[in-house]
Amino acid sequence: MSRDSNYDHHISIFSPQGRLYQIEYAFKAASSASGLTGIALRGADTAVVVTQRKVPDRLIVPSSVSHVYNVTSKIGVLATGMTADCHSAVQRMRYEAADFEFKYGYSIPPAVLAKRMADIAQVNTQSASMRPLAVVLLIVGVDDEKGPQVLKVDPAGHYLPFKGTASGSKEQEATNFLEKRVENIPEYSFDETVRTAIVCLGSVLGSDFRGNEIEVACVQGKEGKFRSLTEEEIEDHLNAIADDADA
């Protein structure tokens, strides 16, 4: 047994190398528990999230399985990780958003909500009586001043805005794909943003999709609302991607 194995019994104990093993385990659970990969991308006036739709049991109603959630009319989130933890995190996000609007009289900006969720996540790393939520949040929303935004919150309490990011089992491969296009991403139109996100997901998973096998949600423009694309809209984008590949 290694010496470091004695330092992973409680979340509040540092190893001699300065590591918190329970946090590292939380990251591992968040990336592998659901088996999903999520992509978030911000174009010129659009923010998009894309992920797989995996129905774990044939008896489950397929339309009830989703990892994309509305928080407010202008903010949504793609949560990857343990499903119950995802539901808990989303419920807290909705509470914080409603509480902010009740107190201050206007909708919570996406960056403020991300900071609040990161602060809550960080508090869960300070006490042995708590456990971090094994969930990574990819938040997309509209800022009244800055337009569409993409932010990422992890189990340790980090939060940062991104041009494009990923979470889940193929996070590193998706990040490498997006890094090659980082110069062009801020100029993408709505269609280019959606299709690049779908192509990225297909590339890292090494498969093609049908319209009912992925979830796509977006916000567009400063007055845009967060919405999920219908199966028909997704099929249209998949057909356009196939046409571009054949051209």
Side-chain angles (χ1 to χ4, degrees):
M1 183 180 290
S2 69
R3 180 187 177 194
D4 282 352
S5 65
N6 296 321
Y7 295 93
D8 66 356
H9 297 165
H10 293 288
I11 198 168
S12 54
I13 298 176
F14 285 98
S15 76
Q17 288 75 36
R19 296 165 67 180
L20 286 172
Y21 286 102
Q22 289 292 334
I23 295 296
E24 295 179 20
Y25 299 160
F27 273 88
K28 182 69 173 176
S31 66
S32 61
S34 63
L36 300 176
T37 299
I39 311 293
L41 204 57
R42 176 169 61 86
D45 68 338
T46 308
V48 174
V49 288
V50 179
T51 189
Q52 305 142 271
R53 185 194 294 274
K54 283 187 178 179
V55 182
D57 192 320
R58 292 175 63 187
L59 295 175
I60 294 175
V61 178
S63 61
S64 68
V65 178
S66 177
H67 284 79
V68 177
Y69 307 88
N70 277 75
V71 179
T72 69
S73 62
K74 290 189 173 185
I75 299 176
V77 62
L78 166 57
T80 55
M82 297 178 69
T83 304
D85 284 8
C86 292
H87 290 166
S88 177
V90 171
Q91 192 70 18
R92 184 59 184 263
M93 290 179 74
R94 289 170 175 163
Y95 166 80
E96 294 295 339
D99 187 56
F100 183 96
E101 186 164 358
F102 178 77
K103 285 180 179 176
Y104 302 111
Y106 64 97
S107 298
I108 189 169
V112 175
L113 180 59
K115 181 181 185 302
R116 179 63 182 150
M117 292 306 297
D119 289 345
I120 293 167
Q122 202 282 326
V123 167
N124 288 343
T125 71
Q126 297 179 18
S127 171
S129 64
M130 297 179 179
R131 134 173 120 70
L133 295 180
V135 56
V136 174
L137 304 173
L138 299 182
I139 300 169
V140 296
V142 176
D143 187 290
D144 290 340
E145 297 177 358
K146 300 178 181 178
Q149 299 287 297
V150 170
L151 300 111
K152 184 176 182 178
V153 182
D154 66 30
H158 298 114
Y159 80 100
L160 287 168
F162 284 86
K163 297 175 183 177
T165 188
S167 64
S169 56
K170 298 285 187 179
E171 177 180 351
Q172 189 56 55
E173 292 90 332
T175 300
N176 294 341
F177 181 97
L178 295 174
E179 282 177 350
K180 296 174 184 175
R181 293 158 176 79
V182 69
E183 300 298 331
N184 299 322
I185 287 173
E187 309 301 323
Y188 282 170
S189 66
F190 170 74
D191 287 341
E192 288 174 321
T193 307
V194 172
R195 291 167 192 172
T196 300
I198 294 173
V199 169
C200 177
L201 185 64
S203 174
V204 299
L205 296 176
S207 63
D208 296 324
F209 304 112
R210 293 197 298 270
N212 62 349
E213 293 176 340
I214 57 174
E215 294 182 85
V216 182
C218 66
V219 288
Q220 187 176 9
K222 286 191 175 181
E223 301 302 320
K225 305 291 186 184
F226 180 81
R227 70 181 186 91
S228 294
L229 271 61
T230 64
E231 199 171 305
E232 291 75 20
E233 288 176 301
I234 295 172
E235 282 287 1
D236 289 342
H237 286 294
L238 291 172
N239 291 335
I241 291 168
D243 291 342
D244 290 344
D246 294 338

